[in-house]
Amino acid sequence: MRETPLSNCERQFILQAITEGQRLDGRRTYDYRNIKITFGTEFGCCIVELGKTRVLAQVSCELVTPKPSRPAEGIIFFNLELSPMASPAFEPSRQSELLVKLNRLLERCLRNSKCIDMESLCVVARAKVWKIRVDLHLLNHDGNIIDAASIAAIVALCHFKRPDVSIQGEEVIVYTPEERDLIPLSIHHMPIAVSFAFFQQGTYLLVDPIEHEERVMDGLLVIAMNKHRELCTIQSSGGIMLLKDQVLRCTKIAGVKVAEITELIQKAIENDKNVRQEGGKFGFAESVPNKITTFKLEEVTVHVDGIEEQAEEIVSKAEASPPLIPKPILRAPGTGQIGEGIQNEWMINDLDEKEEEEDEEDLIPELGAQNLENEAEVTQLSDSEEEELVILEPGYKKGKKKSEEKQQKATKIVCQNKNKKIQKRKRSQL
């Protein structure tokens, strides 16, 4: 996924602000963003925040066979990862041009500058040496990745401690931290990279550019230097031509910035060392200013003198509460009753209709039998089921009053049942 390009209005706004000596985040031309260093619970683990750019560094070690060309020197390896979590423009598991350039620049800045004593990592010449691996993971991208990565790498190396080893014959024994104290790495100096962005073919210069400034810049100059003002590496990209005076001015600015950053790193490492020795809390969780999972309450003094006498007095004055009689049934508004089953109403309507139909079927043959006996013809005046039915009996016989009364009762029952069915259907439709 490609990053979202800047519009022409945004580009013109940023360039116009730079020409007027203003920046998007309110800094001046040569100002550096705030640096925050946080250490983890293990040695060699840290997070460096350069403004909103955040890099996680982790150092690990293992015993390996040395290179044939350098049998008495250890091995150091750097690996920088750009994940989509930092920016949607980065693709996972893909070596982009930016990633290759950053990894090479880190190697030249830290490994080729000989800041670490590689011979001190040798255990047995031509047999066993320590391999130091520095893994850097970009957590958030807001510009100037190389500066944040170089600071995180050197801080993690200064904070890291390897296990102690001993040799007994041809066997190499590695001791745990409980058996022997860990040994820090031998570091001669701390090279730190400082980036300079140029605009309008080198007319304007900015230190520590953010992401939006990197998109509109014409070229970038990276200078790696230590606090002794020794130049470790220098790299220019962008295809701009720089004058000698411009490069010298950048080296002077870099020397001042490197001295300030080195002092900050030393103070952070010293503070972490003191906290660990005193047995205080340390780690990433302790560095969070506002914790959601903990609540701080003010301490309130509670007097407990004579508390037993006061309790007895309160109990004696209190009236005895009436005995509680448990109720087997608990009814709550809007809910079903609890503790007693209610009558099941499932398929009741269907059962009633079936029973009515059976009653009608039983009555119909009786009526037919009576009609056959009476030999009377029944005619219906109206087809409407809602109106009452009137039975006309043209062949009326005086001597059969009892049978006629039974016939009238049966017909009334049939009419009532039909009216009930019609009313239920209407209610269901409503």
Side-chain angles (χ1 to χ4, degrees), residues 124-156:
V124 179
R126 298 184 179 86
K128 294 291 182 182
V129 296
W130 286 108
K131 179 183 178 181
I132 307 298
R133 180 186 175 92
V134 183
D135 291 304
L136 301 168
H137 193 84
L138 184 64
L139 302 179
N140 190 34
H141 174 43
D142 192 31
N144 202 4
I145 302 174
I146 186 61
D147 290 16
S150 66
I151 295 172
I154 194 64
V155 169

Side-chain angles (χ1 to χ4, degrees), residues 10-22 200 204:
E10 291 176 331
R11 186 180 298 272
Q12 292 175 2
F13 177 80
I14 296 172
L15 293 175
Q16 183 64 27
I18 291 172
T19 56
E20 296 176 1
Q22 302 293 331
Q200 297 185 5
Y204 298 98

Side-chain angles (χ1 to χ4, degrees), residues 289-331:
N290 298 322
K291 299 178 183 178
I292 301 175
T293 56
T294 59
F295 298 92
K296 294 183 179 180
L297 301 177
E298 297 181 358
E299 295 182 357
V300 180
T301 57
V302 179
H303 301 284
V304 294
D305 298 337
I307 192 67
E308 296 181 356
E309 298 176 356
Q310 295 178 5
E312 293 177 356
E313 184 178 356
I314 293 171
V315 171
S316 61
K317 290 181 180 180
E319 297 180 357
S321 59
L324 297 176
I325 301 174
K327 297 181 179 181
I329 303 173
L330 177 62
R331 291 182 174 86

Side-chain angles (χ1 to χ4, degrees), residues 386-399:
E386 296 182 1
E387 298 178 358
E388 295 183 356
L389 299 177
V390 179
I391 309 301
L392 298 180
E393 302 176 358
Y396 178 76
K397 295 181 179 181
K398 297 180 180 180

